Amino acid sequence: MPETAEKGLNVRDQAELTDTVVRSRGGVLAAARPPTRRRRGRRWHRLISPVALVGLWQAASSTGILPASKLVSPASIAHTAYTLVVTNSPTYGTLQESLLVSFERWAVGFSIGIIIAVLLAVVTGLSRVGETVADPILQALRSIPLLGLIPLFIVWFGIGELPKVLFVMLSALFPMYLNTFAGIRGVDSKLGELGHVLGLRRSEMIRHIVLPGALPQLSVISSLLALVVGEQINATSGLGFMITQAQQFLDNSVIMVALIVYAILGLFLNGAVRLLQRKALAWRRDFGQ
């Protein structure tokens, strides 16, 4: 009797799993279903409510229902944003420079956090010893609120760039670790059996079966929130610095511009990550449907 039959794999299962692993090893991903016209139309419909909200906001500001001292109008926000782009203010600098500084901080912290999280998840997910040693520490650390670390980070690392990057790193590390760990433990055992049948080494099993099957949905929102917190630590540049300066001068329009840029940056980055995941996981029939 064939070895696969002894392990509970019928011919059809073996064919499907072999196709999955071979396509993964060769780097050939199945093409995702192209969006239909109806699906594309639904995406445009999602813009209706935000546009309507902005219109109502502007109308309330123009009629005096919503005073500028409480919330500035969209027109004022747009004018402030334009001024910050074309003018190098001695107080705020330029909007594009602040955005670039904040993006660099986020990119460095997010990348380091994701790499460390995946390595830790592989160690704890594939080794009982690793889980026993490392997982309790990680579970305890993730329960500590980031705001509570601000005084310690200032004492340990000063007020430079390092504590800001560490805030982003920690905010990305723990969610990624938990999701990847759960994904590794939830990988179909048949894929592992097939990997042994095909003679894959342990490193190849991790690279071609474990990690693709465990790759979770990444979220950049929590790391952006941590970036806002980190940039409040005596920053001299970045969007958080603009917010702090505007707070001192009671300039609500600059605060709103910075917050809106944060929101747009979060939408863009989240969409980019989801697109990369959709491409990387196109072989999974249930992903991105």
Side-chain angles (χ1 to χ4, degrees), residues 87-134:
T87 305
N88 188 3
S89 169
T91 304
Y92 304 109
T94 62
L95 181 59
Q96 58 269 30
E97 289 178 355
S98 297
L99 175 60
L100 180 60
V101 170
S102 294
F103 177 78
E104 289 177 351
R105 289 170 179 158
W106 174 85
V108 173
F110 186 79
S111 301
I112 295 175
I114 294 302
I115 293 173
I116 295 176
V118 172
L119 293 177
L120 290 174
V122 170
V123 171
T124 58
L126 299 180
S127 169
R128 294 293 182 183
V129 175
E131 179 185 6
T132 302
V133 173

